[in-house]
Amino acid sequence: MSAAPLWLQHLPVLLVVLPIVASALLLAVAERRRRLKRAISLVTAVTMVAVAGLLVLSCDGQVGGGTGGPQVYRLADWPAPFGIVLVADRLSALMVLLTDLLGVTALVYALARWDRSGPRFHALFLLLLAGINGAFLTGDIFNLFVFFEVLLAASYGLILHGSGEERTRASLHYITINIATSLLFLVGVAMIYSVTGSLNMADIAVKTPQVARGDLMLLEAGAAVLGVAFLVKSGIWPLNFWLPRTYAAAAPPVAAVFAIMTKVGVYIILRLSSLLFGEGSGAAVALPIMRWFSWASRRCCSELWAFWRPAS
């Protein structure tokens, strides 16, 4: 890992702080000043795309004169594993760039009329992007939960954005499922912490191979609980029973961002399974489960396509 210039080192935290500050500013602006709120929201979203693009180039070593590699940002300069850290590598930076690109395009589409169907649309939209960016960049399991709750809290408001009985019913269903899976999330985090004594992902990766055989079952159980929570949140088959109705009820720009929001669960499973439970850890249980769900999803989709496709 190479040392990036000072201005590049702050790129990861900008992708979280910038939308949160803009959202707070939007909350202070009266709803009748719609043009000002739109301008603030759009400028923030475009700036986030530029920052995410610079982060991708920085991780690839194409800016700043460095050789590239992961970037670690320690908030308040607290040492790991005690402090909060944000970690950006090629994968997480690309996911953040994809999120912000989708966010700015959905926001432009929402300016046609969807942002006028309810209050505080722009503030909630930027909070949703902040939570997704933070979930992709965090290097700490508990702060992963915090960012998940930020994006979910914003999504609760966005899914209710507008009116209608069907939207309200789908929203309550969506909120109930996510609250239940958040409880599973906390249980899994607590089980892993009880074995490793750490919440920092890199620190857990070091301690996992040293876990005593008697505690290995508890570690695997914690990983399994986390896996179930993330699989439900990502809407992977057959745990997607709650999601189609939500997509149908949500406003189109909100449903577009939900498409990347559900991928956070898949990303976290792949990240944790490769970092914490890969070869040599003694607890490689997540990847086989992901392979089975992936195969089952492809099989289900192929069968549905074979049934519904028009006759040639």
Side-chain angles (χ1 to χ4, degrees), residues 231-247:
L231 288 172
V232 174
K233 287 179 180 293
S234 61
I236 197 168
W237 187 89
L239 303 175
N240 61 337
F241 59 92
W242 60 278
L243 197 55
R245 188 178 181 183
T246 303
Y247 276 109

Side-chain angles (χ1 to χ4, degrees), residues 99-266:
T99 299
D100 294 336
L101 281 173
L102 181 60
V104 74
T105 52
L107 181 60
V108 171
Y109 183 79
L111 296 181
R113 68 181 180 90
W114 296 104
D115 64 329
R116 300 195 300 271
S117 59
R120 309 302 180 188
F121 174 85
H122 294 281
L124 292 171
F125 193 87
L126 291 181
L127 276 180
L128 178 62
L129 294 182
I132 298 175
N133 287 345
F136 282 132
L137 292 172
T138 185
D140 183 278
I141 296 181
F142 183 78
N143 287 291
L144 173 64
F145 172 78
V146 173
F147 284 122
F148 249 111
E149 293 308 302
V150 169
L151 69 90
L152 285 176
S155 70
Y156 297 158
L158 289 174
I159 190 63
L160 285 166
H161 192 73
S163 59
E165 183 179 348
E166 177 60 26
R167 180 168 295 169
T168 302
R169 288 180 178 177
S171 302
L172 293 177
H173 195 194
Y174 170 82
I175 293 171
T176 302
I177 293 295
N178 276 287
I179 290 176
T181 52
S182 294
L183 177 60
L184 286 179
F185 193 161
L186 278 179
V187 171
V189 170
M191 294 172 72
I192 292 177
Y193 180 77
S194 67
V195 175
T196 62
S198 178
L199 294 173
N200 184 277
M201 295 182 187
D203 191 45
I204 296 176
V206 174
K207 292 181 178 180
T208 299
Q210 305 170 4
V211 173
R213 182 170 295 275
D215 295 331
L216 194 57
M217 185 177 295
L218 182 60
L219 180 64
E220 291 179 348
V225 172
L226 278 181
V228 171
F230 290 133
L231 288 172
V232 174
K233 287 179 180 293
S234 61
I236 197 168
W237 187 89
L239 303 175
N240 61 337
F241 59 92
W242 60 278
L243 197 55
R245 188 178 181 183
T246 303
Y247 276 109
V254 175
V257 181
F258 277 16
I260 192 69
M261 184 184 72
T262 54
K263 304 306 179 289
V264 176
V266 178

